[in-house]
């Protein structure tokens, strides 16, 4: 059983960051913490791959301890004939990391960076280290600009060379291949990952830094755009317009106000989606032209550089981007490329890393994406022009988490996406007001609400509202679930669900839970968002639903029915309600571990539990906490969130026949991604 996987390039480059991310993501779903290691690193500044893995996967070891030696140190030892001393030093430093981490991703050396012994010597060096580490090996072939025959030959050669050197090869991966191709049949799996321009494309910010440019206009979002092409503007406006391409950085002399305005107008009109504009020769544009560009609201960065257009293009074309923690869009694009072409389930099975019994926050978050990808449901997002929704949608589409429908006028959604520089390829856009479904939805809503006096005419106006329209899509089977609330209140999100979708038969009340991601564990809190003062029967429903939700998401349910007293130590109507609810849970779910009434400290702290409820299978080990009322639950989850630095994922609705989930209006982009993934998993567990 391997404790680590060793990633080695075959020649320089190869996009090892993409494969390292994919392998780290795979391992992070199985163990409570992963480590990262590089045998050799440049001596100047933090290694970019280590910096990325350390931040994304919350590796709490100092980055200075995650490598064996610098290239300069290695070259000096080899030149002195002390190669074995170098090997010994690297192995010792690796063991220091391995002792503290259940699994380690090792990214092998790239001697092309250090200038010493590329080719066979490099491969032999990495094979030797992998053997010393006890690692399985994944060779990465760079397919960029290569013919399929050359890539196939390199893959075959890499496997056989490593095998002859005594390494255990896990799989062979050809990265950045130009198009569909098959690798030769080998004794191990072989995968190809296509070239994804957005992964290796520099951002406008990276180009600006490399050129020493001055920013004349644009914000952080404008600087984060990917540069996929370069267009030099020197001719007349019609000629420039003919040559503009999506993702192009327009480079033109600073005194060509006509080209500056024309490019900005083409971008705003939707003719093309540009990356930005670079004005050369140190010439500042006419202030009147700049004011016009700003009034157009292009959302593009305008840079000024002292060099001429030729030198600017030459310098820009040498800049290559790479995934980094500072650019999560590239990280998600890289992971999407890896997961789209690599059998991660099969690869995980071949790795055979012992899965942790405890679910950690990192495992929980990354497992959500993996499970949602496997279900691939259809979800609707009513807030189709909200920035956070659109940025989250781009991530979800790139990772293949779900098929998405955004609600809004198509022109408005396209314009907003263009302003933000996000790629929504693959998402459907539906305008509730103009949809062919509106008439049918109105008739169905009127039928469902006839007992409330709702007519078809009234329903026609109601179902045009995004949340009602989205809920009707779920009800009618056009979507499997809905996520809303980034700009709407909780009531506006869940009221349509209560009216249209309603609860699962046998469940008297819909409720919610929060997944509380603490530093070392995941807890489930219910109900902290919906029911103000549930009675005993409703509280029992909430407990059973919460336990089911916990189990569905990999948290073993041990349910604590919370009160201000433990066991029989207190009295009063509130305690009696919790006691009655606990008995109802035991009657309805005899196999479920449940304890109540119980105080929070006795539920979570084994030392307190040993005093207050010795011998209880739940006390001190609870994972599901059911609060007696909304006041207690809402305040407690917020107190834990703020005081303990916990991440609260939710509220996640439960008890509905189809999943509809609410977002906090302060939801971050990762919050939205997680909630959509949760909704997809819930939808997969619902009867069709």
């Amino acid at each position: 059983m391997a404790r680590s996987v060793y990633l080695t390039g075959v020649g320089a480059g190869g996009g090892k960051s993409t494969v390292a991310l994919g392998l780290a993501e795979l391992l992070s779903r199985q163990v409570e913490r992963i480590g990262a290691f590089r045998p050799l690193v440049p001596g100047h500044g933090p290694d970019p791959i280590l910096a990325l893995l350390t931040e994304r996967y919350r590796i709490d070891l100092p980055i200075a301890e995650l490598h064996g030696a610098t290239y300069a140190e290695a070259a000096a030892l080899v030149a002195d004939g002390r190669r074995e001393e170098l090997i010994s030093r690297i192995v010792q430093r690796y063991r220091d990391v391995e002792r503290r981490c259940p699994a380690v991703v090792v990214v092998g050396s790239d001697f092309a960076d250090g200038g010493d012994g590329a080719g066979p010597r490099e491969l032999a060096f990495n094979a030797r280290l992998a053997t010393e580490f006890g690692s399985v090996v994944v060779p990465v072939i760079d397919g960029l600009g290569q013919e399929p025959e050359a890539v196939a030959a390199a893959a075959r050669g890499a496997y056989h060379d490593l095998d002859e050197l005594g390494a255990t090869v896990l799989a062979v991966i050809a990265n950045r291949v130009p198009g569909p191709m098959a690798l030769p049949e080998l004794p191990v799996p072989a995968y190809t990952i296509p070239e994804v321009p957005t992964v290796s494309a520099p951002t406008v910010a990276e180009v600006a830094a490399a050129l020493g440019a001055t920013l004349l206009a644009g914000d952080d979002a404008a600087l984060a755009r990917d540069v996929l092409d370069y267009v030099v503007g020197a001719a007349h406006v019609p000629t420039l317009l003919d040559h503009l391409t999506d993702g192009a950085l327009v480079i033109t002399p600073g005194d060509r106000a006509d080209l500056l305005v024309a490019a900005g107008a083409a971008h705003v009109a939707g003719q093309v989606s540009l990356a930005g504009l670079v004005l050369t020769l140190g010439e500042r544009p006419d202030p009147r032209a700049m004011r016009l560009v700003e009034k157009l609201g292009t959302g593009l960065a305008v840079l000024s550089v002292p060099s001429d257009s030729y030198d600017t293009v030459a310098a820009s074309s040498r800049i290559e981007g790479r995934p980094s923690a500072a650019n999560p869009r590239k990280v998600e694009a890289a992971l999407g490329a890896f997961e789209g072409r690599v059998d991660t389930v099969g690869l995980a099975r071949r790795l055979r890393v012992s899965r942790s019994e405890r679910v950690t926050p990192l495992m929980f978050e990354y497992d959500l994406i993996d499970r949602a990808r496997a279900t691939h449901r259809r979800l609707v997002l009513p807030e189709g022009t909200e920035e956070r929704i659109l940025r989250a949608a781009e991530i979800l589409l790139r990772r293949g988490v779900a098929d998405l429908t955004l609600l809004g006028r198509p022109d408005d959604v396209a314009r907003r996406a263009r302003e933000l520089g996000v790629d929504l390829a693959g998402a459907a856009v539906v305008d509730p007001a103009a949809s062919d479904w509106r008439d049918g939805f109105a008739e169905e809503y009127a039928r469902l609400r006839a007992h409330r006096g709702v007519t078809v005419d009234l329903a026609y106006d109601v179902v045009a509202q995004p949340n009602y329209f989205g809920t009707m899509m779920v009800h009618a089977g056009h979507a499997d679930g809905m996520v809303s609330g980034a700009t709407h209140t909780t009531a506006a999100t869940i009221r349509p669900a209560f009216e249209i979708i309603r609860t699962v038969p046998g469940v008297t009340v819909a409720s919610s839970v929060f997944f509380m991601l603490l530093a070392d564990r995941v807890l489930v809190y219910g109900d902290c968002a919906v029911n103000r003062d549930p009675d005993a029967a409703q509280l029992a429903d909430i407990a059973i639903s919460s336990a089911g939700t916990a189990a569905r998401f990999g948290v073993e349910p041990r349910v604590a029915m919370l009160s201000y007293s433990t066991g029989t130590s207190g009295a009063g109507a509130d305690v009696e309600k919790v006691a009655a609810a606990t008995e109802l849970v035991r009657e309805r779910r005899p196999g479920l571990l449940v304890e109540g009434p119980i105080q929070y400290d006795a539920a979570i702290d084994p030392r307190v539990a040993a005093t207050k409820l010795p011998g209880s299978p739940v006390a001190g080990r609870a994972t599901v906490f059911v609060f007696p009322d909304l006041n207690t639950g809402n305040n407690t989850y917020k107190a834990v969130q703020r005081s303990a630095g916990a991440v609260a994922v939710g509220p996640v609705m439960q008890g509905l026949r189809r999943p509809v989930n609410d977002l906090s209006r302060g939801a971050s982009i990762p919050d939205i991604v997680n909630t959509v993934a949760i909704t997809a998993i819930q939808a997969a567990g619902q009867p069709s």
Side-chain angles (χ1 to χ4, degrees):
M1 184 173 292
R3 291 281 306 278
S4 64
V5 56
Y6 194 114
L7 178 64
T8 180
V10 179
K16 291 194 289 292
S17 295
T18 292
V19 183
L21 275 168
L23 292 171
E25 194 85 2
L26 186 154
L27 289 170
S28 69
R29 299 170 191 146
Q30 303 179 70
V31 298
E32 58 191 69
R33 63 198 296 257
I34 67 169
F37 188 79
R38 295 211 70 179
L40 299 178
V41 297
H44 45 83
D47 177 78
I49 295 180
L50 285 180
L52 169 59
L53 296 179
T54 298
E55 183 159 343
R56 178 171 177 84
Y57 299 100
R58 305 170 199 169
I59 299 171
D60 56 4
L61 304 177
I63 197 168
E65 297 179 13
L66 302 180
H67 73 269
T70 66
Y71 285 110
E73 291 168 341
L77 288 170
V78 171
D80 262 357
R82 298 155 64 192
R83 188 180 186 86
E84 289 304 311
E85 183 179 331
L86 171 64
I87 297 287
S88 177
R89 173 179 173 178
I90 293 173
V91 171
Q92 180 179 346
R93 287 179 64 88
Y94 166 78
R95 296 293 179 207
D96 288 341
V97 173
E98 183 192 47
R99 276 193 291 271
R100 291 176 282 179
C101 302
V104 183
V105 176
V106 183
V107 183
S109 63
D110 186 350
F111 280 3
D113 289 341
D116 180 37
R121 286 183 63 192
E122 176 184 1
L123 198 62
F125 176 79
N126 284 296
R128 167 74 184 281
L129 287 176
T131 304
E132 296 287 355
F133 293 174
S135 306
V136 292
V137 181
V138 176
V140 180
I141 291 88
D142 188 5
L144 186 63
Q146 300 292 319
E147 293 296 325
E149 296 79 9
V151 175
R156 187 185 302 109
Y159 170 78
H160 289 295
D161 288 346
L162 286 165
D163 185 58
E164 290 172 6
L165 289 165
T168 301
V169 180
L170 176 71
V172 177
I173 296 178
N175 193 23
R176 306 200 295 184
V177 299
M181 63 168 292
L183 292 180
E185 189 170 332
L186 297 170
V188 299
Y191 306 105
T192 60
I193 300 175
E195 165 70 355
V196 179
T198 54
V199 175
S200 56
T203 62
V204 175
E206 289 169 332
V207 172
L211 298 178
T214 300
L215 182 65
L216 302 183
D219 55 14
D220 289 343
L223 291 170
R225 289 176 178 268
D226 295 320
V227 179
L228 305 178
D229 193 9
Y230 298 93
V231 174
V232 178
H236 295 298
V237 167
T239 304
L240 173 71
L241 295 178
D242 284 343
H243 286 83
L244 294 179
T245 59
D246 286 338
L249 187 68
V250 178
I251 299 173
T252 185
D255 59 1
R256 291 297 303 270
D258 56 336
L259 301 185
L260 171 65
V261 173
H267 176 80
V268 171
Q271 178 178 328
V272 68
S273 181
L274 297 176
L277 300 110
V278 178
L279 308 180
T280 63
L281 301 173
E283 293 282 346
R284 296 297 180 99
D286 188 295
R288 292 168 294 184
M290 278 300 296
R291 284 196 295 271
L292 177 56
V293 170
E294 289 169 1
K295 285 187 177 296
L296 283 172
T298 64
L300 297 175
V302 180
L303 309 174
S304 175
V305 297
S307 54
D308 62 25
S309 296
Y310 177 84
D311 288 339
T312 301
V313 172
S316 299
S317 61
R318 292 192 294 268
I319 305 167
E320 184 173 353
R322 67 166 73 209
S324 69
N327 194 334
R329 293 178 67 237
K330 286 191 186 300
V331 172
E332 301 299 340
L335 285 169
F338 181 91
E339 293 167 342
R341 298 300 291 271
V342 173
D343 177 9
T344 54
V345 174
L347 205 57
R349 192 180 302 118
R350 286 179 57 81
L351 265 172
R352 294 186 302 157
V353 175
S354 295
R355 186 174 180 87
S356 172
E357 294 182 2
R358 183 176 62 177
V359 178
T360 67
L362 198 62
M363 290 173 65
F364 178 83
E365 288 186 78
Y366 293 153
D367 192 51
L368 287 180
I369 300 298
D370 198 40
R371 292 178 60 189
R373 285 180 60 246
T375 67
H376 207 80
R377 297 288 153 161
R378 302 162 303 158
L379 302 180
V380 57
L381 307 177
E383 297 153 318
T385 57
E386 159 63 29
E387 176 177 351
R388 290 165 294 160
I389 294 293
L390 294 178
R391 294 196 182 279
E394 180 184 47
I395 293 171
L396 292 160
L397 292 167
R398 284 181 168 174
R399 298 292 298 277
V401 171
D403 289 333
L404 301 180
T405 297
L406 300 167
L407 299 188
R409 293 180 60 237
D411 289 348
D412 292 342
V413 175
R415 176 182 53 79
R416 191 70 178 119
R418 198 164 52 248
E419 291 171 355
L420 298 171
V422 298
D423 180 4
L424 298 178
V429 179
V430 174
D431 180 1
S435 172
D436 292 340
W437 293 333
R438 185 176 176 183
D439 288 336
F441 285 179
E443 292 176 4
E444 175 64 4
Y445 181 73
R447 184 187 70 80
L448 292 171
R449 303 296 290 170
H451 64 288
R452 293 288 187 177
V454 175
T455 64
V456 173
D457 287 343
L458 177 59
Y460 189 76
D461 292 332
V462 171
V463 299
Q465 299 173 38
N467 280 335
Y468 274 93
F469 190 90
T471 306
M472 287 301 302
M473 284 182 63
V474 177
H475 175 70
H478 299 304
D480 299 311
M482 183 179 91
V483 175
S484 186
T487 60
H488 294 107
T489 64
T490 294
T493 298
I494 65 176
R495 184 185 297 114
F498 290 164
E499 294 177 359
I500 298 166
I501 293 176
R502 302 174 181 169
T503 58
V504 173
V507 174
T508 62
V509 63
S511 58
S512 72
V513 296
F514 279 91
F515 290 101
M516 302 299 294
L517 311 188
L518 278 70
D520 60 346
R521 71 188 90 174
V522 177
L523 303 177
V524 177
Y525 284 8
D527 173 9
C528 305
V530 179
N531 295 285
R532 291 187 178 181
D533 188 17
D535 60 27
Q538 292 171 328
L539 201 58
D541 265 354
I542 292 168
I544 291 169
S545 295
S546 300
T549 300
R552 186 174 298 123
F553 289 92
V555 178
E556 182 183 353
R558 294 187 290 273
V559 183
M561 306 292 287
L562 297 174
S563 177
Y564 58 76
S565 71
T566 296
T568 58
S569 65
D574 291 338
V575 178
E576 291 169 5
K577 178 181 79 169
V578 174
T582 304
E583 290 307 311
L584 286 172
V585 173
R586 288 173 175 153
E587 290 173 12
R588 293 171 56 187
R589 294 291 188 274
L592 181 62
L593 295 178
V594 59
E595 189 70 71
I598 187 171
Q599 291 162 289
Y600 192 97
D601 59 348
I604 199 168
D605 189 328
R607 291 171 298 181
V608 177
T611 301
K612 293 188 174 183
L613 275 179
S616 168
V618 172
R621 302 174 62 236
T623 56
V624 178
F625 296 77
V626 179
F627 295 92
D629 53 58
L630 184 60
N631 180 54
T632 307
N634 192 268
N635 278 299
T636 302
Y637 106 76
K638 288 181 177 177
V640 172
Q641 181 185 31
R642 300 301 177 187
S643 301
V647 175
V649 178
V652 176
M653 295 297 297
Q654 53 190 14
L656 294 170
R657 289 184 296 163
R658 293 289 184 271
V660 171
N661 281 316
D662 177 43
L663 297 165
S664 162
R665 275 171 284 177
S668 66
I669 294 167
D671 291 339
I672 297 168
V673 170
N674 286 340
T675 303
V676 171
I678 285 171
T679 308
I681 296 167
Q682 286 181 307
Q686 298 281 3
S688 56

